[in-house]
Amino acid sequence: MTVPSAVINFLETDAKTRLLAKPTILGREGTPITLNLGEEVPVPRTTFGTAAPGQIGTTPTTSFDLRSVGVNLQFTPRVTYDGEIILQDLTVEKSATGAPVDVAGQSLPTFLSRRAQTTLRLRDGESSMLAGLIQDEEVNGARGFPGTTGIPVLRNIFGGTTKVVRQIDVVMIITPRIVRAHEFTPEDFKPRPAGTAQNPGVGNTPQLISPGAPPPPPLAPPGTGAPVTPGAPGAAGVTTQPAGATPPGGAAPPRVPGVVSIQPVGGEGQPPAQPARAVLVPAGLEHPAGNVFSTPIMLTGVANVGTVTVSLTFNPAVLRATTVTQGTFMSAGGTTTTFAPKIDPNGGRVDIVVSRPTDRPGATTATEQALLAAVNFQAVAAGTSQVTMTIVATTPAGQPVAVQASPVTITVK
């Protein structure tokens, strides 16, 4: 639950509450952070070795391991693209030393432990309170003259008994803050050419084909003067130039009989409209086993979108989806959206549904690329997995919006 500041101030000023520590820990995303408040107790560990090779191990060797006793905290922070903080595998432990026990004539320590493990998702500066690690202690004592404490009547006359009950609860309030957040721009999600097999390198940019370049003119059979092109002369975007004629205001073209020049409909030099696309942009196509990486879903050329449904399928033996975070595309303009992700780890499938209110206009990509969502994957085992994306988008009125999607292949080594 979210803890108001008034509750924190009340706990700090309560007469029955004592502030143990108020530490500040600076960490890095994806790196485990550990906090130990207490002491370290040596725990013996005995192994048996041999005095000479080939003999039975009968020589004991004792070494000591240190165990942290007190209040222990461990978690792994992660920062989403929306500025939220995920405290993954958050473990809180309250431990103490118990009464020693004798094992084979050797006194060994025992430990009392209260442990809780969870995962939290908080905003920057939002507090969460963890409590319930209660420890009860009851102490019974007797006082009186020697020899009379065992006699019931005399024990009550010349002595008495005491009973002390103590209850200890450790309350931990965690407030994460982002020191430096992600500074992603649309340029960071653009694909980068990796060269060719003969000349690899990120600096080797291939020569792109201009989308507005007209196709080469078709040739007519000799002596006929008729172009081999579907459609009749005078149709939209098709003009016929007789052989040997000179265009207005220019030099004569090469003498090719029956040349047909084709220009894009909508004006000379204007490229045709690009289709709307959804692109997966994984952080690298090769990852070692155990690595955790993010795969953003970027949209290009999408307009007036009210609801988006995305389905990702992959090989669960190679990849495992851990978390799904929402991007900023559907919440543009401060709109409160409905975000419903679902992860099927056994079937290798992730379903994402993002919708805007029907009374608000649809979302439109104002820049070249917009972030719809991001899926965090973990490389499980060596192999190759194709991540296939299926996307269905509609307007606020329910009209379909055509969006193309392409799969990517990820290799785990």
Side-chain angles (χ1 to χ4, degrees):
M1 65 177 180
T2 302
V3 181
S5 58
V7 178
I8 301 177
N9 297 332
F10 173 76
L11 291 176
E12 292 181 351
T13 57
D14 185 12
K16 297 182 180 180
T17 304
R18 182 167 62 93
L19 185 62
L20 296 180
K22 197 173 183 179
T24 300
I25 309 175
L26 183 64
R28 187 177 64 179
E29 180 188 16
T31 303
I33 297 176
T34 303
L35 173 65
N36 299 323
L37 302 176
E39 59 182 358
E40 292 184 343
V41 178
V43 179
R45 183 176 59 180
T46 302
T47 59
F48 292 89
T50 59
Q55 297 182 358
I56 300 177
T58 58
T59 304
T61 302
T62 303
S63 59
F64 293 89
D65 297 331
L66 296 178
R67 175 171 175 173
S68 298
V69 176
V71 179
N72 303 321
L73 175 67
Q74 184 177 6
F75 61 91
T76 301
R78 300 192 181 279
V79 181
T80 65
Y81 296 99
D82 292 336
E84 294 184 343
I85 304 171
I86 299 176
L87 303 182
Q88 190 172 356
D89 297 333
L90 174 64
T91 303
V92 181
E93 181 184 13
K94 170 63 174 67
S95 59
T97 55
V101 296
D102 292 335
V103 178
Q106 186 178 5
S107 179
L108 300 178
T110 60
F111 300 93
L112 304 176
S113 178
R114 306 289 188 273
R115 180 181 300 177
Q117 185 173 4
T118 183
T119 298
L120 296 180
R121 185 187 184 101
L122 303 172
R123 288 284 184 181
D124 184 15
E126 186 178 13
S127 300
S128 179
M129 182 171 63
L130 299 176
L133 303 179
I134 301 175
Q135 178 180 351
D136 292 328
E137 183 179 356
E138 181 177 342
V139 179
N140 295 322
R143 67 180 186 274
F145 291 101
T148 61
T149 57
I151 303 174
V153 177
L154 297 179
R155 179 179 57 190
N156 296 333
I157 297 175
F158 298 101
T161 60
T162 59
K163 182 178 180 180
V164 179
V165 178
R166 291 185 299 180
Q167 188 179 72
I168 302 174
D169 186 11
V170 176
V171 179
M172 182 170 295
I173 300 173
I174 301 176
T175 306
R177 296 188 180 276
I178 300 176
V179 178
R180 184 174 60 187
H182 297 291
E183 297 178 356
F184 288 113
T185 62
E187 296 292 333
D188 297 325
F189 298 101
K190 287 186 176 181
R192 297 180 180 272
T196 60
Q198 292 77 18
N199 188 18
V202 294
N204 301 325
T205 305
Q207 184 178 2
L208 301 179
I209 302 176
S210 175
L219 298 179
T224 60
V228 187
T229 303
V238 180
T239 57
T240 304
Q241 182 68 31
T246 302
R255 297 180 59 83
V256 180
V259 172
V260 177
S261 62
I262 301 178
Q263 296 180 356
V265 178
E268 183 179 358
Q270 296 181 0
Q274 297 295 327
R277 295 185 58 85
V279 183
L280 291 171
V281 190
L285 299 179
E286 293 185 358
H287 297 273
N291 187 28
V292 178
F293 59 94
S294 178
T295 304
I297 303 176
M298 308 300 297
L299 297 179
T300 304
V302 180
N304 195 22
V305 176
T307 302
V308 179
T309 302
V310 181
S311 297
L312 299 179
T313 57
F314 51 90
N315 187 0
V318 179
L319 300 176
R320 180 171 65 241
T322 57
T323 57
V324 181
T325 57
Q326 182 181 357
T328 58
F329 170 68
M330 294 295 289
S331 60
T335 304
T336 301
T337 61
T338 301
F339 181 67
K342 181 180 178 181
I343 300 177
D344 184 6
N346 298 326
R349 183 183 179 94
V350 176
D351 295 323
I352 306 171
V353 179
V354 190
S355 61
R356 293 167 61 95
T358 56
D359 57 346
R360 297 294 301 271
T364 302
T365 53
T367 58
E368 294 184 1
Q369 288 185 329
L371 178 61
L372 175 64
V375 182
N376 290 331
F377 286 99
Q378 182 179 8
V380 178
T384 302
S385 174
Q386 186 181 54
V387 182
T388 304
M389 177 171 56
T390 304
I391 181 169
V392 177
T394 58
T395 63
Q399 300 296 328
V401 178
V403 181
Q404 300 179 2
S406 302
V408 296
T409 301
I410 299 177
T411 303
V412 177
K413 295 184 176 180

